[in-house]
Structures are given as C-alpha cells and as structure tokens.
C-alpha cells in the first residue's frame, strides 16, 4: 500500500513512514486507517493532477513541506516510538562499558540490537513466523551465529571466499545462545522463532561470544516473544586471585578459568567453562561475580524494554485443556506407576509407548470408556512387556498395583470429550514426568532402584582394539563409550580458520559421535549434529589439562568417542573412556579424571517432599528429560577441569549449585576408584603400530640446509631413509616421524651432519671427493657439507694437477685446519700423512702458485717451520693413513726456483675463491 506521495525535484517521497502495529497472533500487523492517505478519497491531490494545469489556466507547483503531512485523525505522538526512533544505552560491565543500540539497523525484524565493546560489534536480530507451527514438547527456536571474516579485515584462507559451512566454534556459540533463552520461553507458544547473530567488527581484544549471548537476550526482550525475564551473559576470568568480568583475550592468556555464565536478574540459567583443576570454592566465587554482573545488565535492559519494547504476544499462547490432565491421570495413572518401575531403558520405553497409544485411542477415537472396553490396535500392555523381560531383570515395585487387572477402570460411564492428539501427547509426557518426580521424591527410589546419590555400576576395559594406538570401553549402567586414540605428527593436527589472520593448529582434539543405534533406533547418518559437536568439545576441554606439553610428548593426539549405548551422560562417559584410552596409548598424562552428570528436582513440596531441592547423582536419560537440571562436572580429587549446566526451570541459586558441586565431587571420586579396577588395565606404553617421533634442535639458520632448494633436500632424506615426515620450525626445532627405528636413526644422522658445527682440528675419515678443480679438490666431510682441500694439502709431495693423483669418487681422510668467519672450510689430507721434511713447505707454496692461487708471503720467515713442526706433532698424535690412490712425483729442484722468484712478485695478490690466512696459505670454500 502506498502512502500519498509528496513531490520534490521529480522524485516521490512518502508523506509518512510505514508503521507496524502488533495485535492478535492470527493477524499481528494491522494498518491504521488514519496513518496513510489513500488517493481514492483522502489524498490531497488526484493521482495525475500534478501533470496538468488547473482550470484557470495557471500552472501550479508543489513544494515539499518541512514536516511530513498527516491527517487530522492522527498525530506524530500516536505513532509508537519504537518504530522510528533510535535508542542507545551504555551499560557498565566490569571495568568498562558496552554500548547497546536498537532502532537503527534491522527495523523490520521483531527485535534487533547491536552491542559494541571496544571495536568489537555484534548485531543480532529476532524474527517470528506469521503462522504457528504444530504444537510440540519443545519451543521451535533456531539460532545461527556467524563470524564474518570482513570483521577483521580479511577473507577466508580456503578456496571459497564466501562464508559457508558453520564452523565448530560457531556451533558452540549457537548453543551458548540457545540454552539460556529456552527456559525463559512460556509454554504454549508455537510460533517458529529465529535468532541470527553476526560479528560485524572484531578488534582481536574483546571476545564476541559473551556479547552475542547478551545481544540475543536483549533482542528477544525487545521483541514480541512472550518471555518471562530478560537474559544476559558474561565471561569470567581468574588471573591470580582477581576475578575479571569480560576479560580481554590478553588477560585470558594468563587466566586459570574460562567461565561463561548467563542468567536473569534473579537466577542462573546456564554456565559452561573450563579450568585448570579449580576448586569448588573458587568456582562458586566466580559464579557469584558473574551473577552480579548479569544482574546489573538485566536491570538496564528492563529499563530499555519499557522505553522501546514491543507488546508481547501473550494471546498466542495455547495450552492443552486443563481437564485433560485429570483424564490422563485417571486412565493411565496406575499403569504409569508400574511402567516407571521397569529397570531397563528399552522395556520401559516400550511400556510407556504402549500406554501412550492406549490413552490416545481412548481420548481421541472412542470417547467412551466402559469396563469391557478394549483399546484399539495391537499395542502391548505393561504386563505383556513385563512378562517378556528376562527373568534376572529386576522390577522394583513401589505402591499398590493390581497386576491381575490391566484394563482401565473408569470411575463413571460419562463419555470423555474428544481431544487433539498433540494435546494428549503433551499432557501424557507431563503426567509421566510428574509421576517420575513423585516416585523419586516420595518413594526415595529412582527408575532403576538407586538412591538419589548412588552411582550406576561401572565397568571398563582397555586394549580392546589391537591395531589401534590406544582403546578403551567404558560402561556405566546403560551408557557406554568406545574411545580410540590415534597418535601422529603435525600433519595430523586440526587446522582452525579464525578471524585472526594466524594459522592455528590443534595438537589435541576429541570427536564425539552419537549413532542412532546407541538408543536402539533407526536414523540418518550424516554430518555431526550440534549436540555431537558440543558434547565432543566438553569432553575435549575436560581432558586437555591432563595432557603433557608438546616438548615432553611431541605427538598430535586424536580421540574418537563413539557412543555404543546411551542412557544419560554420554559426554561424561567419553571423558572417562578417553582418559583410559590415553593411558592405553602410552600418553604420559598428569593424572586420571572422571566426569559425572547431576540432576535435580527443584520443587519437592509438590511431589511429597519438604520443599528442599533434591540433587540426583549420575542421572539417566529420563531423569534428564523430566528433571530440572543437567549439571556435568569433570575433574579429580584436586579440582575441576570442565563443567556445563543447563536449567529447565526459571533458574537456580548459589546454595543449590554448591550442594550439587559437592555431591558431584563425591560421585567422580567413586568413579575414579572404579576406573582403577579396569581389566585389562591400560598398557601405558606406545603401541608398536604408533609412529616414532624424534625431536632435535638445530641453529635456526641451519634450517635451510635441511630443507634445501625447493624442498629437494628434505624430500631426498625422506625417500632415502623411508621415513614419514620431517617438520621444521623457525626456532630450529626439527621433528622426524618414522615407522621404524632404523629409518629414524639414519635420518637423524643425516640431519646432524647437515647442521653440525665443524671445529678446527676435527678429523674426518673416508670422505668422498665430490669435484676436482685445478687448485684442489672439494671433499664431502658430511652429507651436504663440503670443504676445499687445496692442491698443496693433498699430498706430502708436489702435484702439478690434482687429478694426477685423485679423481671424483675417491675417498680419503682429511683434517679441518681452518674455518673463517663466513663458515668456509679448509681441509688437509697432507696433515695426516708422514712429513718428508721442512723442504715440503716450499713445495706447498710453489704448488699453490701453479694452481693460480695468489697467496701472501709470510712476513716472519720463522713462522713456516713452526707451522710445519706443529703439523708434524699433530700428525704424530693421530694414526697415519696413506691415500688410497697416491701417485709419487719427485720434484726437480730446478723447477722450484722460478716458483720462488714468482712468489716474491705477488705478495699482496688475493685468491680467487676467498680470503686466505697468512698461516695456511690456501683457499676456502663456503658451507653447502
């Protein structure tokens, strides 16, 4: 619908903004009759009047007025302020403020907000579908969080430059946003809701995840969603003894705690964090600091909502008829008591499913119940299922149940009204939850017969898979995890592409999978779900503090946890199984840790208790679904390494959390004791199938010698020695990965020779001549390391040409007699031969001149005999070896004189290859 246009310079401008007015759910957006000027009646000008002159012959012109025109029946004050105004508020958080703005971006969304912390900006929008979806037992909420690479001024490092698949850490933040919001949604609201969150700017200092939680809570509070209270989230760090609210990334580098907390102004809804064996007392203090910060944010948000929040859609809430609860309890109450006593999960699930089908048939199809009524279908009764159970399966009876009469006995013959199938299912689930809580609180026994603080039986074994580097099967009750450890080099590390333009590699990661077979169902197998990613990260961060440093254990470690059976707390089973598998793989972990999941019944007075919250240890799947809390804690007797808490009610207080933490400590100590009884125990040594990794340090400037031109040298070493990989780092660290010890030792020797630091006086045996020049021979003293043995140092006699006595491929012993500042090496074979007398020194000088090498004449004539004498003594100390192919040549004294005269005319000339010492008078060659 178009508003009446105003005309200015040939363009059309709306005379008034387009407005939305929320109303009833079925028709939430209505147009006010007075806010738009229809051209048919109320428009000041006819549609084409501005194109033609008026009747009196004069043309007229229209000017845009300074203020938009409105009809008399409407005024600007009648327009809701949230539709056209921008609101902002600065909220103190920790030692700084965050800026919250709404009304300037995403105005067509039900709620939108931007939050700025430093130069980090997060934008979040909330939209609600126009039509309600089918009622279900969960709120139809979807959350998507994305970190735009442009926020940090870069693009993706992959082939595709557009953001595509959601990364794992983005999935984790989606879960952090979803979990605290869901408990605040009122039951009976079935409009599909979508929360979208983007990081638009990132300064590398202020983390966006806690901001995204707060932004989502504020956007929901401003929208039409009928929520109970506003939600906010903060991160808490611990540096020394100081608790920091929303610490910077620099502060988090020295923090012992990484806690993200979300809640309302009065209660805690969600916590998730990781620590380095933090005590329960310090964790509770951190939660208290976080709760105070969240309370301050929520107070400011409530004030903002009063100014610009939209009316809530309370009229859209549709709850099942109240009388339906009574009908379901009358029909299924007795059999529910009996079904909930079945110990095993699958038989109990079948019994409840059969009973649900019976209730559906009665309340949706027949409508009349008599004594002789028989339910439709072939559904099994609870008695049939009990009879089909194994004889050794225990059925815990609690209360009076008439086992001989399995038919429903109505109290009257009055027909029941018809109810919607979905309402019956929802009510049946709620009634089942109510009966389960009553059994636990009033009867003191859980579905499997345990007391509230009792742990299920624990059984574990290691070495299950002979070819795996490490494996363990951990079983706790009906929950079972098969953990497998694989060790590898850096090539196996997980590369993480993040906003900061720095390559990040994870040397330890845990991957969790939850196949449908683990719960006896048929389902789709595909990419990991958000739940699998979240559970895997929780188990990974639980085990990370016990791992050795890379310097002590240079392996990349991958843990796979496959849930082969599930009935609650499979993520904590992954922690226990992963710890045993790490020990079985020979990883020198610091200590053993265990994990446990805690549950709770908050309002016990309703179910026969005294009102005190009841904490449950090691909860099962039904207790998780029907309870009020899921609190997972991992650690040992010294402290906590990871924790995660989800609340299904309005929140809990610190005293309740303290009681849960202390009870969880007792539970994990019990599980640690049972893990020590593992049979067979962990091998605690490297598997013969695991790769061998040797770490060595060389000078950083020697790394290029190992790599070679275009990587040719490192590739040749890998091929020659049959090893898997050689990884080098800029700091001089070299990691050699091999399958067998022989190849590892060979490659280690080659790299040692390549990067060794030669010392004057070292003797090298059986060295190969690589090339021969007119002035000497280049001898390889180590793989890739060559030095020049001048022609004067090749023999004790005079040689006209080096190839007269030697050829390429010959081997001889040499001694390092000089190394200059450039690293050039001068070798001598003559120093290891018998010296024929002082006249040989003159022969050496003449030979140097015949090789076109200019040398300086020593100023001190007595220096030559001294050098000769020292060489003679040195040669006498070493074992004297003759050259393999030495050709004797007697020197004619007549030939020496011209050389000597020639030597006098070239005192200051320089050599062709490098500088020459006045003592040794020969050429040098650079290192290879």
């Amino acid at each position: 619908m178009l508003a009446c246009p105003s005309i200015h310079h040939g363009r059309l401008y709306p005379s008034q903004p387009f407005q939305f007015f929320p109303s009833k759910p079925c028709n939430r957006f209505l147009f006010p009759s007075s806010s738009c000027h229809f051209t048919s009646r109320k428009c000041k000008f006819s549609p084409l009047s501005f194109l033609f002159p008026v009747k009196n012959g004069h043309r007229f012109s229209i000017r845009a007025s300074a203020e938009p025109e409105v009809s008399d029946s409407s005024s600007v004050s009648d327009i809701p302020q949230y539709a056209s105004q921008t609101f902002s508020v600065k909220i103190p958080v920790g030692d700084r403020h965050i800026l919250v703005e709404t009304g300037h971006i995403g105005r067509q969304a039900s709620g939108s907000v931007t939050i700025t912390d430093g130069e980090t900006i997060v934008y979040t929008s909330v939209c609600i579908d126009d039509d309600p979806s089918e009622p279900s037992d969960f709120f139809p909420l979807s959350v998507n969080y994305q970190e735009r690479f442009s926020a940090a001024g870069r693009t993706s490092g992959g082939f595709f430059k557009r953001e595509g698949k959601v990364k794992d850490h983005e999935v984790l933040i989606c879960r952090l946003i979803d979990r605290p919001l869901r408990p605040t949604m009122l039951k009976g609201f079935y409009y599909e809701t979508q929360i979208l969150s983007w990081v638009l700017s990132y300064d590398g200092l202020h983390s966006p995840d806690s901001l995204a939680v707060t932004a989502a809570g504020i956007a929901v509070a401003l929208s039409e969603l009928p929520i109970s209270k506003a939600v906010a989230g903060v991160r808490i760090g611990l540096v020394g003894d100081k608790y920091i609210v929303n610490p910077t990334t620099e502060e988090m580098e020295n923090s012992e705690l990484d806690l993200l907390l979300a809640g309302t102004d009065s209660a805690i809804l969600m916590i998730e964090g990781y620590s380095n064996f933090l005590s329960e007392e310090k964790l509770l203090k951190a939660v208290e600091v976080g709760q105070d910060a969240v309370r301050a944010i929520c107070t400011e948000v409530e004030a903002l909502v009063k100014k610009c929040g939209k009316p809530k859609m309370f009229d859209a809430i549709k709850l099942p008829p109240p009388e339906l609860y009574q009908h379901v309890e009358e029909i299924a109450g007795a059999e529910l008591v009996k079904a909930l006593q079945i110990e095993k999960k699958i038989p109990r699930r079948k019994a409840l499913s059969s009973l649900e089908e019976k209730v559906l048939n009665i309340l949706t199809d027949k409508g009349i119940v008599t004594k002789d009524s028989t339910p439709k279908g072939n559904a099994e009764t609870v008695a049939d299922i009990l009879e089909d159970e194994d004889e050794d399966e225990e059925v815990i009876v609690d209360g009076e149940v008439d086992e001989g009469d399995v038919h429903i006995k109505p109290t009257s013959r009055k027909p029941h009204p018809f109810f919607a199938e979905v309402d019956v299912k929802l009510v049946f689930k709620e009634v089942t939850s109510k009966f389960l809580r009553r059994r636990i609180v009033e009867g003191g026994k859980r579905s499997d017969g345990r007391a509230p603080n009792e742990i299920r039986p624990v059984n574990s074994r290691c070495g299950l898979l002979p070819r795996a580097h490490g494996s363990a099967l951990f079983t706790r009750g009906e929950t079972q995890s098969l953990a497998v450890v694989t060790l590898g080099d850096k090539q196996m590390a997980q590369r993480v592409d993040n906003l900061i333009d720095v390559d990040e590699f994870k040397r330890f990661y845990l991957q969790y999978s939850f196949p449908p077979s683990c719960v006896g169902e048929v389902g789709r197998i595909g990419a990991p779900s958000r739940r699998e990613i979240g559970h895997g990260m929780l188990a990974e961060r639980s085990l990370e503090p016990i791992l050795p440093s890379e310097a002590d254990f240079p392996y990349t470690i991958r843990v796979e946890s496959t849930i082969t059976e599930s009935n609650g707390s499979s993520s904590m089973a992954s922690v226990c199984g992963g710890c045993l598998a790490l020990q079985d793989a020979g990883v020198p972990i610091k200590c053993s840790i265990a994990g446990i999941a805690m549950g709770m019944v908050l309002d016990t007075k309703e179910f026969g208790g005294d009102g005190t919250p009841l904490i449950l240890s090691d909860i099962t799947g039904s207790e998780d679904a029907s309870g009020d809390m899921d609190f997972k804690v991992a650690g040992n007797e010294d402290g906590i390494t990871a924790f995660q808490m989800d609340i299904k009610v309005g929140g809990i207080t610190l005293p309740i959390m303290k009681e849960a933490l202390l009870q969880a400590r007792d539970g994990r100590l019990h599980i640690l004791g049972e893990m020590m009884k593992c049979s067979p125990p962990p091998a605690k040594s490297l598997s013969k199938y695991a790769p061998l990794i040797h770490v060595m340090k060389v000078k950083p400037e020697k790394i290029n010698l190992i790599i070679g031109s275009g990587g040719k040298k490192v590739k040749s070493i890998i091929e020659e020695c049959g090893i898997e990989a050689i990884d080098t780092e800029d700091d001089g660290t070299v990691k050699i990965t091999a399958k067998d010890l022989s190849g590892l030792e060979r490659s280690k020797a080659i790299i040692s020779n390549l990067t060794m630091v030669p010392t004057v006086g070292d003797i090298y045996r059986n060295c190969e001549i690589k090339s021969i020049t007119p002035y000497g021979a280049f001898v390889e003293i180590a793989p890739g390391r060559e030095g020049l043995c001048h022609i004067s140092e090749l023999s004790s006699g005079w040689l006209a040409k080096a190839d007269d006595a030697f050829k390429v491929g010959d081997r001889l012993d040499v001694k390092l007699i000089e190394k200059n500042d450039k690293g050039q090496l001068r070798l001598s074979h003559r120093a290891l031969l018998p010296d024929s007398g002082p006249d040989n020194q003159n022969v050496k000088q003449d030979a140097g001149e015949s090789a076109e090498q200019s040398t300086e004449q020593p100023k001190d004539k007595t220096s030559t005999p001294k050098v000769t004498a020292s060489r003679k003594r040195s040669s006498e100390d070493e074992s004297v070896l003759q050259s393999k192919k030495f050709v004797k040549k007697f020197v004619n004294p007549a030939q020496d004189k011209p050389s000597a005269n020639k030597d006098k005319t070239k005192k200051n000339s320089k050599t062709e290859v490098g500088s020459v010492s006045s003592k040794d008078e020969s050429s040098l060659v650079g290192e290879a």
Side-chain angles (χ1 to χ4, degrees), residues 771-778 788-794 800-803 847-854 911-914 922-925:
S771 61
I772 294 178
T773 65
Y775 50 85
F778 288 93
L788 176 64
C789 188
H790 194 266
I791 192 171
S792 61
E793 296 291 341
L794 281 172
K801 293 188 297 182
D803 54 5
E849 291 300 328
S850 64
E852 299 181 358
Q853 301 299 313
S854 301
T911 62
E912 205 172 17
V913 177
S922 67
S923 299
L924 303 176
V925 66

